[in-house]
Amino acid sequence: MNLPLPVLPVYLVDFFGSALMIVLSFAASRYAFKLMRREPRELLWSYIYMLTLALTAFSVGRGVGHIVRDILVNAGQKEIWESISPISGAINTITFIFISAVTLYYSFVEKGFLLLRQANAKLGEAFEEIRRGRDQAILLERHAITDRMAATLAHETRNPLFTIANFAKSLLRKCDKDEHISSRLQIIVEESHKLGGLIDGILKVKHDLPCLMHRVSATDVLAGLETSGRDKAEVARVRLHFSPSPDDIWLKVDMESVVVGLSEILINAIEASPKGGVVEVTTGHEGDMAIFRIADAGKGIGAAIMPKIFEPCFSTKEYSGGLGLSFAKEILEANHGFIKVESVPGKGTTVVVAFPAAAPEGDETAAAVGGQIGR
């Protein structure tokens, strides 16, 4: 090979460039194949693999053609190259046609794939709607079962409980000198009253007993709540801290049922608290709402469990029917109350119960007198 110096670099670049193009095209095809194997459902990787195969075929055809041409021309066999060059050109043309076909094929397949993806999304939405409907039907069935069960149990246990409380009171009067016996009888009376209050609250929610709405102060409600939760807190070795608002806060509710509903929330806070912990109970007002806050320092409630805590028959405790909070929510809502739960896992839970505030009795009387004078 005897080439003039300015032409030699051109042939060397063409020769080694063609060889490098072939090597790189095979490397690209190999990497595209790995991507397709890693995610076989991804249409884009399949397209890239087919495209790299077509480009590899083009690189081989063009690169080999250039290498053969350089060798034959520089070896003085230009006639041989001129006879086979149409074959090389035909191979390159075929590879271009293949590349175009792959691109067109991908565009059609992509449209079909997008339609399939949209159909799959609609199917997923329909399935989610069916699941929500099923969950709602199950929840409604639970409510219906618990309503029937609660009404039946309340009616069946109210009279026997009343009898037990009366007998315990009678025995307490006869045994008032024996402190050992009288203290136990006193516990029976107090627990009977608590259970009777819960039963009355359930019956009021079911409209089997009338709700006696009176104007009461938040301080009186807090005092009733303290009395009902004191024994439970002592047994659990949890301290209750009550912080009434310095301002007079009034609300129009059925006093007994509200205390019952709040007591259920307080008991849950006590049970969630560690031994030696403190449950904070505070009152206040926000705008025209009277606010009760019951906060514990327990483990908190996870995000997955939060939507279910007021569902009937749901409980994270081992021996619990999961009805206490469900009935508490119904009782408080029957008194026009609203419940909001705030919880941070690991730091505790705060239950906020809000009632429409009422004017103090003196203010309402003055307003009524003023209205009569105006007329």
Side-chain angles (χ1 to χ4, degrees):
M1 183 185 301
N2 195 9
L3 296 172
L5 187 60
V7 180
L8 180 62
V10 175
Y11 278 103
L12 289 176
V13 168
D14 188 37
F15 184 88
F16 288 107
S18 298
L20 183 62
M21 182 174 65
I22 294 171
V23 172
L24 291 177
S25 65
F26 274 103
S29 297
R30 183 169 176 271
Y31 188 71
F33 179 72
K34 286 183 178 180
L35 288 175
M36 187 183 68
R37 288 288 300 273
R38 186 184 302 170
E39 298 184 51
R41 294 185 178 181
E42 181 59 51
L43 184 62
L44 180 61
W45 300 144
S46 300
Y47 166 68
I48 290 176
Y49 177 61
M50 296 296 294
L51 187 62
T52 53
L53 284 180
L55 291 173
T56 300
F58 171 73
S59 299
V60 171
R62 186 179 182 281
V64 170
H66 277 237
I67 291 171
V68 171
R69 183 197 63 185
D70 292 343
I71 293 173
L72 291 176
V73 169
N74 289 289
Q77 304 294 330
K78 189 175 181 180
E79 296 80 6
I80 298 176
W81 166 247
E82 288 177 351
S83 63
I84 65 174
S85 63
I87 299 173
S88 175
I91 292 173
N92 291 339
T93 302
I94 291 171
T95 55
F96 273 118
I97 293 172
F98 184 64
I99 291 171
S100 301
V102 168
T103 304
L104 289 173
Y105 168 77
Y106 172 75
S107 66
F108 287 118
V109 172
E110 186 183 31
K111 290 178 182 177
F113 187 75
L114 289 176
L115 290 174
L116 184 62
R117 181 175 289 177
Q118 290 172 0
N120 185 58
K122 290 181 180 178
L123 185 63
E125 291 174 2
F127 178 78
E128 184 65 21
E129 186 67 27
I130 291 171
R131 188 189 65 79
R132 284 196 297 266
R134 181 203 63 187
D135 293 345
Q136 187 176 11
I138 292 173
L139 186 59
L140 290 173
E141 182 63 22
R142 281 185 183 176
H143 276 290
I145 291 172
T146 53
D147 284 350
R148 291 195 298 269
M149 183 174 65
T152 302
L153 288 175
H155 280 293
E156 294 296 327
T157 57
R158 192 163 182 260
N159 290 335
L161 188 64
F162 182 73
T163 303
I164 291 170
N166 282 340
F167 271 113
K169 289 178 184 178
S170 178
L171 290 171
L172 184 60
R173 285 192 294 270
K174 294 180 180 179
C175 303
D176 57 348
K177 295 181 180 180
D178 191 331
E179 293 184 3
H180 182 72
I181 295 176
S182 61
S183 61
R184 282 160 172 73
L185 290 172
Q186 186 63 39
I187 293 173
I188 294 174
V189 172
E190 291 175 358
E191 294 301 319
S192 297
H193 285 162
K194 290 179 185 178
L195 189 54
L198 177 59
I199 290 172
D200 288 348
I202 294 170
L203 292 175
K204 288 174 182 178
V205 170
K206 307 308 174 190
H207 305 291
D208 292 340
L209 284 179
C211 285
L212 304 177
M213 298 294 193
H214 297 290
R215 182 177 287 97
V216 297
S217 71
T219 305
D220 292 338
V221 176
L222 209 61
L225 191 58
E226 182 177 5
T227 301
S228 66
R230 187 190 306 120
D231 294 339
K232 180 72 176 180
E234 288 179 1
V235 173
R237 283 186 272 179
V238 172
R239 189 162 58 90
L240 300 180
H241 185 256
F242 291 87
S243 300
S245 172
D247 302 325
D248 290 334
I249 301 174
W250 296 83
L251 52 155
K252 193 171 184 179
V253 293
D254 183 277
M255 173 79 170
E256 292 182 357
S257 62
V258 164
V259 170
V260 168
L262 292 174
S263 295
E264 286 296 324
I265 297 174
L266 179 61
I267 289 170
N268 272 271
I270 293 170
E271 292 176 346
S273 300
K275 290 182 179 178
V278 179
V279 174
E280 297 279 350
V281 184
T282 59
T283 60
H285 59 83
E286 295 179 5
D288 58 349
M289 303 298 289
I291 306 297
F292 292 83
R293 283 187 175 84
I294 301 175
D296 64 65
K299 296 180 179 179
I301 303 171
I305 298 175
M306 181 69 77
K308 302 179 180 180
I309 58 175
F310 291 112
E311 289 183 7
C313 305
F314 176 82
S315 178
T316 57
K317 290 176 281 191
E318 188 174 359
Y319 301 105
S320 174
L323 299 176
L325 284 179
S326 173
F327 286 139
K329 184 173 184 289
E330 290 188 17
I331 290 169
L332 295 173
E333 287 179 348
N335 285 273
H336 312 295
F338 304 91
I339 302 178
K340 184 174 77 169
V341 181
E342 302 167 348
S343 185
V344 179
K347 294 186 178 180
T349 302
T350 300
V351 180
V352 181
V353 183
F355 298 94
E361 190 170 1
D363 292 352
E364 185 178 82
T365 303
V369 172
Q372 290 174 358
I373 294 173
R375 287 195 292 273

